Amino acid sequence: MSDASVSAGQANINEVNLPQINISEIKRGMRAAWMAGDFGVVAKTISGAAAAFIEGLPVVAGMTLLDVACGTGNTAIPAARKGAVVTGVDIATNLLEQARERAVAEGLTVSFDEGDAEGLPYPPEAFDAVTTMFGAMFAPRYKLVASEMARVLKPGGWVAMANWNPGSFTGRMFKVTSKFVPAHAGIMPPVLWGDQATVWERLEPHFEEIKTELVPVDFDMPVNPAGAVAFFRKYFGPTQMAFNRLDEAGQAAMEAELVALWTDANVAETPETRTLVRNEYLKVTGRRR
């Protein structure tokens, strides 16, 4: 059975029937994970992909745009460059500080607020567009994410998501991590947002004209595969936190599997000094009903 078919089947589980979870505890853990390391360093490696994502959307001067789970501003800032009136929201305050610094450095006016994708701190119908790139997909309760994005959009406003998909390299990397550090019972894997059938099912109650497209994106790093794993372990908070939850033997085992994954996927001509991995994400767009 393919990853996609498994994902689609999992997505049919009704959230109200999931095991009881301590959502406050999960949210605290998520915030801590994203504030660990330094995601700003990781964000720089995909800033070109973020700019291309915004370039492919109908962002026009004067429109109001909300970037959900904005991180350090990888998509909010390119949207502001196009003249949109941009607001970014994220749970990680240290990432918001970096986003503000980036906007000031470029002479851009962007509002960056602390807030949760499952309870956006904005009134109904406040925005013309909502974007999220590798962000809202990590919020634990997908129904709230979908309904909140719709709530803050004006009728006819559009949403655009960039979500890692199960079969992508990132999806496989997450799978290795979850093997050693399983997610809380009852929390659906974030990469289900990257499954075409699943994302349509989640958005359809609120959106129409839903379209999906697989978009290629490369991980290109000036280190060997072991160096790439070390980079994510140091700077990518969720990976750092996963390693920290393991004993020494568990850390060694997970590191070995991740290095093997990066090595197998590396297509660089000089793999001893460079890692080039072909990755992809699912681009999702829709219009609020």
Side-chain angles (χ1 to χ4, degrees):
M1 185 178 292
S2 70
D3 283 343
S5 60
V6 170
S7 299
Q10 289 174 315
N12 289 326
I13 300 174
N14 190 317
E15 281 188 307
V16 300
N17 294 324
L18 293 173
Q20 290 297 311
I21 57 177
N22 185 330
I23 196 64
S24 296
E25 177 185 334
I26 289 172
K27 291 294 183 71
R28 284 193 297 270
M30 288 181 61
R31 181 177 286 104
W34 288 106
M35 292 185 69
D38 186 349
F39 184 71
V41 178
V42 180
K44 291 176 183 177
T45 68
I46 53 172
S47 60
F53 174 65
I54 292 297
E55 191 61 34
L57 299 173
V59 178
V60 296
M63 74 184 308
T64 52
L65 183 147
L66 175 65
D67 191 37
V68 178
C70 63
T72 59
N74 257 11
T75 44
I77 287 174
R81 289 191 200 120
K82 294 173 72 70
V85 180
V86 179
T87 300
V89 62
D90 202 282
I91 61 172
T93 54
N94 60 337
L95 304 188
L96 292 169
E97 284 302 315
Q98 291 187 47
R100 294 182 186 112
E101 291 171 2
R102 291 180 63 186
V104 169
E106 291 200 31
L108 298 169
T109 300
V110 183
S111 297
F112 288 106
D113 303 322
E114 182 179 359
D116 190 328
E118 296 181 356
L120 295 169
Y122 309 105
E125 302 181 9
F127 298 96
D128 298 308
V130 168
T131 58
T132 180
M133 187 173 201
F134 313 142
M137 64 177 287
F138 292 101
R141 294 175 293 185
Y142 63 84
K143 288 186 178 181
L144 288 177
V145 171
S147 63
E148 278 295 279
M149 291 192 300
R151 182 185 66 80
V152 300
L153 272 174
K154 298 174 183 177
W158 55 263
V159 65
M161 307 181 76
N163 302 324
W164 297 119
N165 55 302
S168 68
F169 177 78
T170 298
R172 287 179 278 147
M173 186 166 62
F174 290 165
K175 188 175 181 179
V176 170
T177 303
S178 65
K179 171 184 172 181
F180 290 90
V181 185
H184 288 272
I187 298 299
M188 298 290 99
V191 291
L192 289 180
W193 274 108
D195 176 79
Q196 296 183 58
T198 301
V199 78
W200 191 93
E201 180 181 289
R202 291 179 176 183
L203 294 182
E204 196 274 336
H206 311 282
F207 296 91
E208 57 189 2
E209 300 176 32
I210 300 169
K211 298 177 182 178
T212 59
E213 172 190 2
L214 286 173
V215 178
V217 59
D218 290 343
F219 281 171
D220 191 353
M221 307 175 70
V223 291
N224 62 20
V229 173
F231 174 87
F232 274 85
R233 182 173 180 175
K234 180 177 181 179
Y235 294 112
F236 188 57
T239 298
Q240 183 186 107
M241 296 286 278
F243 270 102
N244 289 345
R245 290 178 60 185
L246 298 171
D247 60 18
E248 186 174 345
Q251 291 183 19
M254 187 165 78
E255 180 182 24
E257 287 206 23
L258 286 171
V259 171
L261 177 69
W262 281 86
T263 300
D264 289 345
N266 189 14
V267 296
E269 294 183 359
T270 54
E272 65 279 0
T273 58
R274 181 186 176 203
T275 300
L276 176 61
V277 170
R278 307 299 185 193
N279 208 345
E280 66 181 10
Y281 67 84
L282 188 72
K283 177 182 177 181
V284 185
T285 57
R287 193 167 297 280
R288 189 198 161 195
R289 294 184 182 277

